[in-house]
Amino acid sequence: MALAVPRTWVVGEVVVAATLNAELRDQFNDLIAPWISYTPNWTATGTAPALGNGSLFHRYKVIGKMCTATWEQVMGTTTTFGTGAWGWSLPFTAASPSGSSSSFGYIGTARGHSATAWYTGAIFVAKGSAVARAYSHAAATDWSTSQPHAWVGASTNFLAASVTYETV
């Protein structure tokens, strides 16, 4: 990651190549750098789920201290769903902005699909956490083996999500 805070320049200062590279080139490189794939953990607050022969595609991009993580999960015929609320590990811990309330967090979007219907939800990352959780709009509850629908091990059941948050 490049510098988080731009430098303050002084009148009459001699600018050298290394300074220009750090202040200009490296900042632009953050913007045009490719997304990075990573291997997340799919967790639950109870019994752990297992992806089995399903697939989980995660990637992220960092610009300064801002990280956007996105993922798609396709359930396989041997996927097991565990018990309790689901979570997905993030590549970095979310920052805890000074002055923020104890319930402060970062919000993203989620979309799930059963064989016949689409479900929308929200992603929530609590400050100081490196885990994203999905919540159902309709049921006002965590996504789990039975929310927002009864998930089954079939490629017609999948979810996609994205969240942007400040890193530590």
Side-chain angles (χ1 to χ4, degrees), residues 8-167:
T8 300
W9 299 90
V10 178
V11 174
E13 180 176 355
V14 176
V15 180
V16 296
T19 303
L20 285 173
N21 288 340
E23 293 295 319
L24 298 175
R25 182 202 61 199
D26 295 349
Q27 301 296 326
F28 282 110
N29 282 342
D30 269 0
L31 295 172
I32 63 173
W35 287 74
I36 299 168
S37 294
Y38 75 103
T39 304
N41 291 318
W42 179 31
T43 63
T45 56
T47 306
L51 195 55
N53 64 350
S55 63
L56 182 54
F57 173 75
H58 271 62
R59 64 188 195 151
Y60 70 91
K61 182 166 178 81
V62 175
I63 300 173
K65 291 184 75 175
M66 182 181 69
C67 178
T68 298
T70 184
W71 61 96
E72 177 185 75
Q73 181 170 331
V74 179
M75 310 310 180
T77 56
T78 61
T79 298
T80 58
F81 300 94
T83 60
W86 290 344
W88 294 266
S89 62
L90 295 169
F92 304 100
T93 299
S96 299
S98 64
S100 63
S101 73
S102 61
S103 60
F104 179 85
Y106 302 89
I107 305 294
T109 58
R111 192 167 192 206
H113 187 265
S114 69
T116 59
W118 288 97
Y119 301 89
T120 59
I123 295 295
F124 182 78
V125 180
K127 67 181 186 178
S129 176
V131 175
R133 298 214 177 275
Y135 297 92
S136 174
H137 289 220
T141 187
D142 300 296
W143 282 18
S144 64
T145 189
S146 61
Q147 289 296 331
H149 66 92
W151 296 86
V152 296
S155 62
T156 56
N157 278 222
F158 60 90
L159 60 88
S162 179
V163 64
T164 298
Y165 62 100
E166 179 184 0
T167 63

